[in-house]
Amino acid sequence: MARSTQLADASATTAAPPLPPPATSRLRLAPGGAGRGVMDGGWWPRSRDAAAELTDLVAALAERPGLTATRLIIDFDDWDQVPLRIAVPGREIRVGWLPHLDHMVAVTCGRAEPLLLLVVPPATHPASAEAALAKAAAGVGAALPEEILASCDISTARP
């Protein structure tokens, strides 16, 4: 998106330009908890850097009551250089991986059932990503991750 700037008249009073918006969480969870559908929500990482993105996911989850991640299991094929552990303030979290978790991450939060989150590929167009996150967070139905991504015109081909 290109921005044009114009010189302002020095005598005119203008408001200071707005600050850029803060980085927002790209995490959507089903309302009212988990267990109503295949997935408990969706997550749209900004890159394929597993260490950085998983750290951000853990931080976003920690902002919600009762969602302190203790272990992560990821789809190995969604990431570059998968770490064995990630460091978060005050602790480390083990990272496991499966080669065909089908665009999901499983987050153990000290509960019997892990949260299952759709992982939207980082390079996805924002409108498609938002649609996929909304469908994953609806928390109902039996749509699988690849079906949700395909219905939002998101390729499931691996890089």
Side-chain angles (χ1 to χ4, degrees), residues 3 5 57 60 94 115-117 129 133 156:
R3 244 188 221 179
T5 55
L57 173 61
R94 290 180 27 198
L115 288 173
L116 294 177
L117 302 174
L133 291 173
T156 57

Side-chain angles (χ1 to χ4, degrees), residues 84-99:
L84 294 174
R85 300 182 191 301
I86 59 168
V88 297
R91 60 196 173 98
E92 284 188 342
I93 297 175
R94 290 180 27 198
V95 178
W97 62 87
L98 295 172

